[in-house]
């Protein structure tokens, strides 16, 4: 796609929680998120998982699949260029072209639980490496997230149980404690 598709999608869990966003992957409203839980129903909802930014590496080629619109007017990354199709039903489904293969992503709220299921399937092409940046949160869904200069984050690549010790195919986000001042 040449332009970002900002049509919106929504999937609910039956408890008052939901996952929602845009077809291009950018969160354009404070109410967007992959896990917005009704921890204190009926009205109180909490954004727990804002988004997941995926990067697919095929040989030496890198495909960033996420999208963000910044207040400066910039858009980065521009993953919508790799998006070949999106459909909202029966569950939100994205199809990305990554090299010779297609990566299919699906998102569904889990009925009766404050949980979300996200699946990825590669069709065709050579093996790929999928890297994910998990953007977690814990804020009221009416509020905004603001950074702070004392926040320091890092992600460490950990071995995947499926590939044995020393493999570098999975990552787990870790938050470093703010430095005391």
């Amino acid at each position: 796609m040449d332009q970002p598709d900002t049509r919106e999608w929504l999937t609910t869990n039956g408890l008052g929680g939901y996952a929602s966003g845009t077809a291009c992957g950018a969160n354009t409203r404070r109410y967007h998120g992959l896990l917005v839980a009704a921890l204190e129903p009926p009205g109180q909802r909490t954004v727990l998982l804002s988004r997941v930014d995926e990067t697919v590496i095929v040989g030496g080629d890198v495909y960033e699949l996420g999208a963000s619109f910044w207040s400066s007017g910039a858009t980065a990354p521009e993953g919508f260029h790799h998006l070949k199709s999106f459909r909202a039903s029966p569950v939100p489904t994205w199809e990305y072209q990554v090299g010779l293969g297609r990566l299919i992503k699906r998102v569904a709220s889990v009925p009766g639980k404050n949980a979300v299921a996200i699946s990825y399937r590669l069709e065709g092409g050579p093996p790929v490496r999928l890297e994910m940046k998990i953007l977690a949160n814990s804020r009221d869904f009416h509020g905004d997230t603001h950074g702070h200069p004392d926040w320091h984050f890092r992600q460490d690549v950990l071995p995947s149980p499926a590939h044995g010790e020393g493999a570098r195919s999975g990552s787990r986000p870790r938050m470093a404690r703010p430095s005391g001042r």
Side-chain angles (χ1 to χ4, degrees):
M1 295 185 172
D2 292 331
Q3 298 295 316
D5 183 347
T6 57
R7 290 177 297 158
E8 296 183 302
W9 58 269
L10 174 80
T11 177
T12 63
N13 65 8
L15 300 174
Y18 63 88
S20 72
T22 62
C24 70
N27 286 353
T28 58
R29 301 177 190 267
R30 67 180 57 157
Y31 302 103
H32 285 162
L34 291 176
L35 179 55
V36 181
L39 299 178
E40 298 175 33
Q44 181 71 25
R45 289 177 184 81
T46 304
V47 177
L48 297 174
L49 177 60
S50 294
R51 56 191 276 161
V52 176
D53 281 347
E54 303 93 352
T55 301
V56 177
I57 302 166
V58 184
D61 297 325
V62 176
Y63 301 88
E64 291 183 297
L65 305 183
S68 293
F69 304 144
W70 301 97
S71 60
S72 66
T75 301
E78 295 182 349
F80 55 87
H81 290 297
H82 310 296
L83 183 62
K84 295 304 170 196
S85 70
F86 170 81
R87 66 180 182 274
S89 183
V91 297
T93 303
W94 294 258
E95 181 181 322
Y96 294 95
Q97 186 71 46
V98 290
L100 298 174
R102 294 180 317 140
L103 184 71
I104 311 298
K105 173 185 174 180
R106 291 188 173 93
V107 172
S109 293
V110 178
K113 297 188 182 289
N114 283 313
V116 64
I118 305 170
S119 70
Y120 300 88
R121 185 177 78 234
L122 180 65
E123 294 182 350
V128 303
R129 178 180 169 140
L130 176 62
E131 297 180 350
M132 296 180 272
K133 293 179 184 165
I134 310 300
L135 297 144
N137 211 324
S138 182
R139 66 163 173 83
D140 182 273
F141 82 141
H142 294 301
D144 291 322
T145 301
H146 299 279
H148 191 278
D150 287 341
W151 289 2
H152 304 283
F153 299 90
R154 72 171 193 264
Q155 288 193 358
D156 295 329
V157 176
L158 301 175
S160 168
H163 296 93
E165 283 302 312
R168 297 179 52 84
S169 59
S171 69
R172 178 178 300 158
R174 296 184 180 184
M175 183 173 138
R177 296 185 186 271
S179 58
R181 288 187 202 191

